[in-house]
Amino acid sequence: AKASGRNNHQFFTERMNQAAALHFELESSLRGALAKEEFELFYQPIMDIGTRQVHTMEVLLRWRRPEHGLILPDHFIPIIEENGLVVPVGEWVIRRACEQSMAWQQMGLQPVPLAVNLSPRQFMNRGLIDSIRRILDETGIDPALLEFEITETALMQHGEQTLEILGQINAMGIRLSIDDFGTGYSSLAYLKRFPVRKLKIDRAFIKDLEESAEDRAIVCAIIALSNSLQLSVVAEGVETEGQFDILLQNGCRFAQGYLFSQPTESAAAQALLRPA
Ligand code: C2E
Ligand code: CA
Ligand code: CA
Ligand code: CA
């Protein structure tokens, strides 16, 4: 028993070393990825439920890692969030999104706002406001065509400072929305103190909307309360007509999900835009 215990231990240590080596390799590739222009933006439409037209596009980061293909953000955002690389990468995302918006406008397409995700680390970075100002200035984008999505959890972390940064972003004319709503611990009444216009109901509540009376009750309550507080609501991860119908019947104005479109590269996203 003792010997096998040692073997287990050895096996475990080897696996740990392997995992650490992989993590190290990933991290060092990520350090070079920005300079090597390996990051790319994908876009997913957020639809107006009433008109079934594209209302906004969410900007979603992808990493084209040589010899590995397209890497989804869940596999690398946590790493760059931890080592701080998310600050320059996040700044690149904002700039690239603004450039793309301007390029689409110059092609004569009807402008739709682009919604960019801000990570907690990026949000709390002291240089954020200046870098946003610089990007607005250099690209010439109308700030009304830019939105930032911040998770509920990130918002609840730092009281006073959060309020100040949100106020500065809002003063620039950029809209703010709360991402993954319902997964953290906040109340709508509390959120009303923030200069936020929109909330996005987390996919976790939409997934079983048709089967679960409980999820239906939660989603309907969020929609009703948001409507009465004059907050816009987006349902995330809408995949079926059944979910869509429930949302429509209960007064949800916006929806995003595979039912309408997967996130796509810029050429395919462009095809979803109408002439101005
Ligand atoms: P998120 O902000 O909640 O983005 C929505 C995610 O749900 C996206 O995953 C999208 O592809 C996925 N999704 C959309 N519709 C459906 C659906 O109908 N069904 C299912 N199953 N999934 C759907 P993605 O692109 O893999 O991004 C994952 C997360 O990575 C994002 O979650 C966001 O938190 C983060 N992320 C993405 N881009 C950025 C970025 O530029 N900066 C930062 N800081 N985070 C980002
Ligand atoms: Ca988001
Ligand atoms: Ca979300
Ligand atoms: Ca999420």
Side-chain angles (χ1 to χ4, degrees), residues 58 60 117 149 179-180 200 236:
E58 180 170 4
L60 295 159
N117 292 285
E149 298 189 359
D179 209 352
D180 300 352
K200 303 186 76 177
E236 296 195 287

Side-chain angles (χ1 to χ4, degrees), residues 13-29:
T13 312
E14 264 168 35
R15 293 289 291 263
M16 287 285 285
N17 289 340
Q18 269 172 21
L22 269 176
H23 186 276
F24 181 79
E25 192 195 307
L26 197 63
E27 192 173 353
S28 48
S29 313

Side-chain angles (χ1 to χ4, degrees), residues 165-222:
I165 299 170
L166 292 178
Q168 286 174 310
I169 293 174
N170 188 51
M172 286 189 250
I174 299 171
R175 266 185 293 240
L176 288 154
S177 38
I178 297 179
D179 209 352
D180 300 352
F181 186 80
T183 57
Y185 301 90
S186 62
S187 70
L188 281 172
Y190 182 70
L191 291 176
K192 198 50 195 158
R193 291 180 41 209
F194 296 137
V196 159
R197 306 263 206 91
K198 192 185 275 181
L199 23 119
K200 303 186 76 177
I201 306 176
D202 196 80
R203 186 170 75 86
F205 301 100
I206 307 300
K207 202 163 37 87
D208 303 318
L209 204 54
E210 290 163 272
E211 303 80 29
S212 159
E214 206 170 40
D215 285 349
R216 215 154 42 234
I218 293 168
V219 168
C220 291
I222 297 174

